[in-house]
Each structure stands twice: as C-alpha cells, then as structure tokens.
Amino acid sequence: MLAPCQRPRNAAATREAILKAANRRFSAESYDQVGMRDVARDVGVDPALISRYFGSKEDLFVSVLEDCGNGSSITEGPRETFGERIAHDLVYGPKKEGKLEWLLIMLRSIASPKAAEIVQRNSRERFYQPFTDWVGGPDAEIKARLAGGMMMGLAISRDITGGFGMTPEQCDQMCKRLAATLQSLIDD
C-alpha cells in the first residue's frame, strides 16, 4: 500500500511529467535560470531521477525542444500542392497548441550562449536541413530559409493576435497569394 503522498511508479508517466515541468520552466525562465532541482521539485521527484531519464540539463533542454515538434508535416503530401496546403493551414488552420510556448522557450533562452548553440543546432538539424534537402536544387537553402521565415512569421502572427481579423474574402485572397508565393519559392 502506498503512502498518501507517494506517487505510483510508472517510468513513462514520470518521464512525461518531468518533460512537461521542464517545458513550463523553460518557457517561463531563461535556460540559465532553470535548475534541475526546480524541475524535480515541480514534479515531486529526486533530481537524480531527472539525470537518470534525461542526462544533463542540456539533454533535458534538447528533449524539451524535440517535444515542441520539428515541422516535418510541411513536406508531407505532393510537392506540387505545397503552397496551397501550407497557405490553407496558415490562414484557416487551428491554433497550434504549444506554438507560443515554443516561441517563449526560444526567446527566453537565446541570450544564453549554451542555449543559443542548442537552439541553433536543433533548428538546423530538425527543421532547416531536412526542409532544405526536400526543396533541393539550386539555392535550396535560400528557398528553405525564405519559405520557413514566411511560414513561422505568419503562424506566430496569427497565434499572437488570435487570427488575422480579416473578412472571409480577405482571408481567401490572402490564402491564394500566400499559396502562389510559397509555391514559387519551392519551384523556382
């Protein structure tokens, strides 16, 4: 029989609880301000358990970044409909849960040289390099950076403002123009 304050043992649930607590901490505080003991206290576990599941603070931060997603869904589907699919998702798609939390993690931690290096490496390895490879051809990196910047900027703008605040006709026009622009970046 467990004592009233004791957590049942479940490695997967404990790992997930640690990851969620770290995500909350890194989105509320800078990388340098977050301590393993703070995360452990939030979950009610011994700090050594975090090291056992994740390794170092750097490894925990990488896991938090990986938990935010990698954008691989943008390359799913036919290449010839890329602009149309992405534009439709950006204009009409639902707010992505955790998107602003991901942005806060980036903004709060980028001032730390260690965190900046991790964020840059993670962005390059998990988003820009695979996207650049998918784009392919001459100037693939330039095309991927332009398209990626446009997609991220619009997604963040939409989520921060609670939508674009335009009429249905304006949204349709925006979607058409955005689709053509994104497709031209990929096909050019």
Side-chain angles (χ1 to χ4, degrees):
M1 167 101 75
L2 294 173
C5 62
Q6 217 176 6
R7 293 171 51 112
R9 291 187 181 204
N10 180 331
T14 300
R15 186 181 192 288
E16 184 64 24
I18 293 169
L19 192 58
K20 285 185 185 309
N23 195 313
R24 283 190 302 274
R25 281 279 176 176
F26 284 121
S27 66
E29 303 170 47
S30 74
Y31 175 84
D32 293 331
Q33 292 173 318
V34 174
M36 299 281 265
R37 291 183 187 282
D38 299 323
V39 175
R41 188 173 38 255
D42 292 348
V43 181
V45 298
D46 188 285
L49 194 57
I50 296 176
S51 296
R52 181 173 159 208
Y53 284 125
F54 294 96
S56 66
K57 176 179 165 178
E58 178 181 333
D59 295 331
L60 178 61
F61 187 64
V62 168
S63 293
V64 166
L65 294 177
E66 289 174 353
D67 194 51
C68 292
N70 64 5
S72 63
S73 64
I74 65 171
T75 58
E76 294 172 357
R79 185 183 181 88
E80 54 276 359
T81 63
F82 172 80
E84 186 180 309
R85 286 183 290 107
I86 300 304
H88 188 273
D89 185 53
L90 286 169
V91 175
Y92 299 110
K95 180 178 177 179
K96 305 286 192 288
E97 289 303 316
K99 180 69 75 176
L100 293 180
E101 198 166 72
W102 172 84
L103 179 63
L104 286 172
I105 291 169
M106 302 297 127
L107 293 175
R108 293 194 195 287
S109 297
I110 203 73
S112 163
K114 184 64 172 172
E117 187 271 324
I118 296 167
V119 167
Q120 290 164 2
R121 183 182 65 231
N122 188 277
S123 296
R124 190 174 46 254
E125 291 174 359
R126 293 178 45 81
F127 178 76
Y128 279 109
Q129 192 57 55
F131 187 42
T132 298
D133 293 344
W134 181 83
V135 169
D139 300 323
E141 189 163 350
I142 294 168
K143 294 175 187 180
R145 288 288 177 163
L146 287 169
M150 186 176 291
M151 291 182 292
M152 282 189 266
L154 284 169
I156 291 166
S157 172
R158 177 197 62 204
D159 291 351
I160 286 175
T161 61
F164 294 115
M166 297 186 293
T167 67
E169 294 78 20
Q170 289 172 316
C171 287
D172 287 345
Q173 188 60 254
M174 182 178 179
C175 190
K176 286 176 190 169
R177 287 182 182 209
L178 180 57
T181 301
L182 288 171
Q183 195 66 46
S184 71
L185 285 172
I186 301 304
D187 291 342
D188 186 14

